Structure formats: structure tokens, C-alpha cells
Amino acid sequence: MDYINTEKYRVHESIQISKVPSFEDFGKTDKQLKKDLSKVRRELGEFQDILYAHNKYSVLICLQGMDTAGKDSLVREVFKDFNVRGVHVHSFKVPTELELDHNYLWRHYLVLPAKGKFGVFNRTHYENVLVTRVHPEYILNERIPGIHNVDDIDQKFWDKRFEQINNFERHLHENGTIIFKFFLHLSKEEQRQRLLRRLAHREKHWKFSPGDLKERKLWDKYQYCYEEAINNTTKEHAPWYTIPADSKKAARVIVASILLERLKKYKDIKEPTLEAEIMANLDDYENQLRSEKND
């Protein structure tokens, strides 16, 4: 959309989350935003077809945000015009015993998008420097040599983990994965209102958990950890974008616009051409097929 300056949301160096706006609607009505999203996602769907045919790049989209930030609905609405075989969405939950028997990045490698496809991580490898940093006791489940208790998990540990994540993403980038990382920036008041709506509407009850309220009490700590993670891992090849998420409809248009604008810059992604011999015989192939009608 012409009215969206996508660079405004890209984190180039460092940010203070407390100073980043959580609301934006561009003076548009919900109906206008919905119409604009429809246009952008159609173009994204067309690009997906070309990416699939080109078969040299993959796209990894990472979504992070506090509970109720709108990650699920964003996935549903932004990728609605995609061929379902060309996009895979994976949500990372509490690690299983099998996953804990491997290093923390192992389970993320397993579900990376193949060439020609989009992958969406709804909650990502960044949970390993967010939830585990707010609750460092979770790290003990990973059975890391030299980590015997919470006191062993110091700033050097987190700095090393940031470095490991940067290396992971650099490796993906150098092998043809285009990486997007979106932080859906929700205000604490808007989260309160969304939790209240879950309680007020019976059909939304399943979304609510008392644990949401426990985590909400740790809001400031989460904001600090998000800020640290973003500032330590935003790179030219794997940038973070902070998306104002108090308006779900505006957030969807922003994310879709960023995806389309940046992907269009890959001028080498184009539909492959047929081999010269096949091109030279297209008329013959057509005649063969047409002649079958008379058999």
C-alpha cells in the first residue's frame, strides 16, 4: 500500500520498546483496511506461484508477540490466497522429551521450509531467549553441560545464545532462505481488553487460560527480554520489524505490505523458461493433443 512506509517498522540498530507505537490505523476504516489486505495478499499469492516454479529460494516468516497479539488471525488472513501446499505453518509448544534430547535449535531445523515454499513459525526459536529467560528454570530441562542450577545462567549464557541464533539465521540466509521476523507490539491495555473478550464470549472461552494472567504479571520482564532479543539479532539479512498490533486489521496490512515489497526486490525470482528444444516443438505438441479429439 502506498500509504505504508515499510522502512518505518524495520529495526536497523536498536530500539526501546516503550517508545515504539502499538497502534496505527492510517485513518482508514476497517472495511478499507480489509480491502487493501485483499489486494496485497492476492499479489503475494501470485508471487508464491513464481517462487515455487523458480525453486531456488525459500521464505521463513517468524511471528513473535505477547499472548493475544493476533498471530493466529494474522496467519489466517495474510496467507488466505496462498496455495495450501506452498505454505507450512508451525507453532512451537513446550518442548517434548524427544526435543529436549537434542539441542534447542534441532526442532526448528526439522520444519524449515523447502525451496520454493513459505514457512511460518508462529512462535519461534526466539522462545529460547524469551520464555526461558523470563523463566530460567526451564533451561535446566535442556541438561546443558556446566549448567547445574539457575545461578549458572548468566548474561554470558544469553549473549552466547544470541550469537548461536545469529549463526543459525546466517546459515539459512546463505543457503537461500529469505528471513522475515515480526514482533507484534501489543499494549498492555489492549491485551487486557482482548482477555476480557475471551471471558465474555462463550465461543472464545477455549482460548483463555489462567496461565495468561500469571504471564501478564511478568509483562515488564517480557518487554525487556523482547527488546534485548530484537536488538541483539536484527541483521541486514534477517531483520526484525516491530508491528503496531493494537489494530489487528492494520497489523495484517503492514505485514503483508512488508512481505510483498521486500520479496519483489528479488529480481532473479522468475518463472523458469522452457528448454529451447521444447519451445521449438510447442506447435507440434499442441497439434498432437488436438488430433486426439478426432481419434
Side-chain angles (χ1 to χ4, degrees):
M1 290 297 102
D2 293 340
Y3 56 82
I4 297 178
N5 175 11
T6 60
E7 281 299 304
K8 174 181 176 181
Y9 305 101
R10 183 166 178 163
V11 180
H12 289 279
E13 295 178 353
S14 63
I15 59 166
Q16 286 183 266
I17 286 180
S18 61
K19 295 183 178 180
V20 176
S22 63
F23 178 81
E24 177 63 87
D25 66 1
F26 307 103
K28 301 277 186 175
T29 65
D30 283 353
K31 185 176 181 179
Q32 288 172 320
L33 290 169
K34 187 175 181 179
K35 182 179 179 181
D36 289 345
L37 175 61
S38 180
K39 180 179 183 300
V40 179
R41 74 184 178 206
R42 278 198 303 272
E43 291 188 62
L44 278 173
E46 292 169 1
F47 181 90
Q48 179 208 14
D49 289 338
I50 298 172
L51 181 86
Y52 181 81
H54 185 251
N55 200 31
K56 291 185 179 180
Y57 289 93
S58 60
V59 179
L60 176 62
I61 298 161
C62 301
L63 300 178
Q64 285 287 163
M66 297 293 286
D67 290 332
T68 78
K71 297 182 291 296
D72 291 335
S73 61
L74 185 146
V75 171
R76 182 187 69 234
E77 296 299 326
V78 170
F79 302 101
K80 187 175 286 186
D81 290 337
F82 276 46
N83 183 317
V84 294
R85 293 188 297 176
V87 59
H88 177 71
V89 181
H90 194 88
S91 298
F92 293 96
K93 308 296 184 182
V94 176
T96 65
E97 285 300 316
L98 175 62
E99 290 167 344
L100 288 170
D101 279 339
H102 296 79
N103 74 79
Y104 71 94
L105 287 173
W106 177 77
R107 63 176 182 162
H108 304 285
Y109 270 108
L110 294 179
V111 290
L112 288 169
K115 291 184 184 299
K117 295 191 177 183
F118 281 69
V120 181
F121 284 1
N122 182 353
R123 294 192 183 279
T124 73
H125 45 291
Y126 283 94
E127 293 291 290
N128 298 287
V129 290
L130 292 168
V131 174
T132 54
R133 196 169 184 188
V134 174
H135 300 282
E137 64 274 15
Y138 294 170
I139 291 290
L140 303 181
N141 295 327
E142 297 181 25
R143 304 189 302 279
I144 301 172
I147 303 296
H148 307 292
N149 54 59
V150 171
D151 293 336
D152 295 325
I153 306 170
D154 56 11
Q155 183 61 43
K156 289 183 179 179
F157 175 89
W158 299 114
D159 289 343
K160 175 59 69 174
R161 195 154 272 202
F162 291 141
E163 181 183 356
Q164 291 165 350
I165 289 174
N166 284 331
N167 289 337
F168 168 63
E169 293 176 351
R170 185 179 300 109
H171 171 70
L172 298 182
H173 164 74
E174 290 175 351
N175 286 275
T177 299
I178 304 169
I179 303 171
F180 295 84
K181 300 181 295 191
F182 297 105
F183 170 53
L184 303 186
H185 180 36
L186 185 74
S187 68
K188 192 173 184 180
E189 174 57 21
E190 180 61 23
Q191 188 197 58
R192 187 177 76 90
Q193 294 297 332
R194 291 182 185 181
L195 288 171
L196 284 171
R197 286 196 288 274
R198 288 183 178 182
L199 293 170
H201 299 281
R202 186 178 183 84
E203 69 275 12
K204 295 179 181 284
H205 283 179
W206 66 274
K207 293 184 177 183
F208 180 79
S209 167
D212 295 339
L213 301 184
K214 292 180 181 179
E215 294 300 287
R216 181 173 165 80
K217 291 178 181 178
L218 300 169
W219 182 276
D220 290 341
K221 193 167 184 179
Y222 270 106
Q223 299 301 296
Y224 170 78
C225 291
Y226 267 110
E227 188 174 293
E228 278 270 292
I230 291 170
N231 290 341
N232 279 280
T233 61
T234 191
K235 303 294 179 182
E236 186 65 26
H237 59 272
W240 275 101
Y241 296 86
T242 56
I243 309 300
D246 284 359
S247 166
K248 288 186 178 182
K249 288 182 172 59
R252 296 164 190 165
V253 178
I254 295 169
V255 168
S257 297
I258 290 170
L259 290 172
L260 183 61
E261 182 176 306
R262 190 165 146 216
L263 289 171
K264 278 186 170 181
K265 292 180 180 178
Y266 285 80
K267 301 300 183 183
D268 57 326
I269 299 179
K270 58 185 69 175
E271 292 178 347
T273 56
L274 292 173
E275 296 177 7
E277 183 179 348
I278 297 176
M279 285 291 294
N281 289 284
L282 286 181
D283 288 343
D284 181 51
Y285 303 142
E286 182 179 352
N287 290 333
Q288 289 182 47
L289 288 167
R290 291 188 182 282
S291 68
E292 290 181 11
K293 189 176 181 181
N294 301 319
D295 289 347

